[in-house]
Amino acid sequence: DVKVTQSSRYLVKRTGEKVFLECVQDMDHENMFWYRQDPGLGLRLIYFSYDVKMKEKGDIPEGYSVSREKKERFSLILESASTNQTSMYLCASTTRAGNNSPLHFGNGTRLTVT
Amino acid sequence: DAKTTQPNSMESNEEEPVHLPCNHSTISGTDYIHWYRQLPSQGPEYVIHGLTSNVNNRMASLAIAEDRKSSTLILHRATLRDAAVYYCIRRNAGGTSYGKLTFGQGTILTVHP
C-alpha cells in the first residue's frame, strides 16, 4: 500500500515564524501536491510538483513556497506565518502513469498560527 | 477539472444501500468521473472512477447515466465506517493536468446504527 507520511499531525507556530511542513511518499511517485482544507471552502490546491526540482502554482500559492530536492519528499514552506494560514494541510502523491491514477493523501497537518 | 453538484448531506441506516448522486451536466467527452471520500480526521481516499460504463470494485459501484450528465455512487451495505464526506470530481484524462484534482464541497454521509 502507498504511504504518504506528513511529519507532524499538529503544529502551533507564532505569527512571523518560518514554518516547514514535510511530506514523504514511499511509492516512487512523480507527482506530489499540497492542499489546504478549510471549513466551507473545501480542499484548495496550493502547489504541486511533477518532478524533482519542478514546481507549479496551484490555485492559492500566495504566502507559500515549496521544495522538491528528492523524489520522495515535498516540503511546503510558510516564509512568514500569518493567522490566516491556520488550516489543515494535506499532502498527496500520484504516479505519472496515466491521468486517472488515484491520488494518495496523507492524514494531514493541522497548523495553528497564533 | 470543473464543477460537479452534490447534495450537502445524506443519511442512511446501517446495512442498507446508499445512493449518492452527482450532477455534471457540462461534462466533456474526455472527462472521467472520480469519487473520493474523507473519513473523520483523515485525508481523502480514492473510491472509484469511470468514463461511460458502470464500474464495480470492492468498495463501491459507480453508475453513470447514458448521457453522462450524472452519476451515482452506490454503497451496497452501509456500515458505520462509511460515514464520511464523499466527493465527486470530474477529471480530464488528457492534457498535462499532472493528476491534480479540484474538490467541491462533497456530500456528508451520516450512517445510523
Side-chain angles (χ1 to χ4, degrees):
Chain A
D1 265 358
V2 176
K3 194 159 186 186
V4 178
T5 303
Q6 296 185 230
S7 55
S8 304
R9 186 81 172 166
Y10 299 94
L11 214 50
V12 179
K13 296 291 181 181
R14 293 195 180 278
T15 301
E17 277 194 80
K18 189 168 187 176
V19 182
F20 293 86
L21 302 183
E22 307 287 348
C23 174
V24 177
Q25 49 92 6
D26 65 359
M27 278 301 289
D28 203 37
H29 284 170
E30 293 83 6
N31 303 335
M32 296 187 74
F33 309 83
W34 275 106
Y35 287 85
R36 65 177 280 177
Q37 184 171 27
D38 302 286
L41 297 175
L43 280 87
R44 293 177 291 167
L45 182 64
I46 305 171
Y47 266 97
F48 66 99
S49 168
Y50 53 90
D51 206 342
V52 175
K53 297 192 186 295
M54 305 305 288
K55 61 185 179 185
E56 291 281 342
K57 293 180 180 178
D59 300 319
I60 51 163
E62 297 78 19
Y64 303 95
S65 62
V66 290
S67 173
R68 184 116 182 253
E69 295 298 317
K70 293 185 177 181
K71 191 175 185 179
E72 67 271 18
R73 187 180 296 271
F74 191 35
S75 303
L76 180 69
I77 303 157
L78 287 65
E79 295 289 342
S80 178
S82 64
T83 54
N84 63 14
Q85 291 178 311
T86 292
S87 185
M88 170 69 83
Y89 290 88
L90 290 156
C91 175
S93 72
T94 188
T95 180
R96 186 179 295 155
N99 279 335
N100 279 310
S101 302
L103 266 65
H104 299 266
F105 283 83
N107 282 331
T109 295
R110 185 165 293 282
L111 173 68
T112 302
V113 183
T114 61
Chain B
D1 299 327
K3 274 193 170 179
T4 60
T5 305
Q6 299 176 252
N8 290 334
S9 62
M10 291 186 65
E11 297 187 18
S12 173
N13 294 318
E14 203 174 7
E15 299 193 5
E16 289 184 356
V18 181
H19 291 235
L20 296 164
C22 180
N23 284 319
H24 28 81
S25 57
T26 60
I27 195 167
S28 71
T30 55
D31 287 349
Y32 281 72
I33 298 301
H34 284 242
W35 285 81
Y36 282 71
R37 72 179 186 180
Q38 188 172 16
L39 303 172
S41 301
Q42 294 188 24
E45 65 174 341
Y46 167 80
V47 178
I48 200 167
H49 77 271
L51 181 64
T52 55
S53 307
N54 295 347
V55 184
N56 300 295
N57 66 19
R58 64 175 179 82
M59 290 180 72
S61 296
L62 176 59
I64 301 174
E66 202 168 327
D67 63 6
R68 301 209 326 119
K69 293 184 177 182
S70 65
S71 60
T72 303
L73 180 72
I74 302 165
L75 308 178
H76 294 285
R77 287 184 70 201
T79 69
L80 297 178
R81 285 202 70 250
D82 291 321
V85 181
Y86 287 79
Y87 299 98
C88 168
I89 301 166
R90 283 168 54 174
R91 187 171 180 185
N92 195 303
T96 54
S97 67
Y98 300 108
K100 63 183 188 289
L101 299 178
T102 300
F103 286 80
Q105 295 301 311
T107 296
I108 300 170
L109 176 65
T110 301
V111 180
H112 298 290

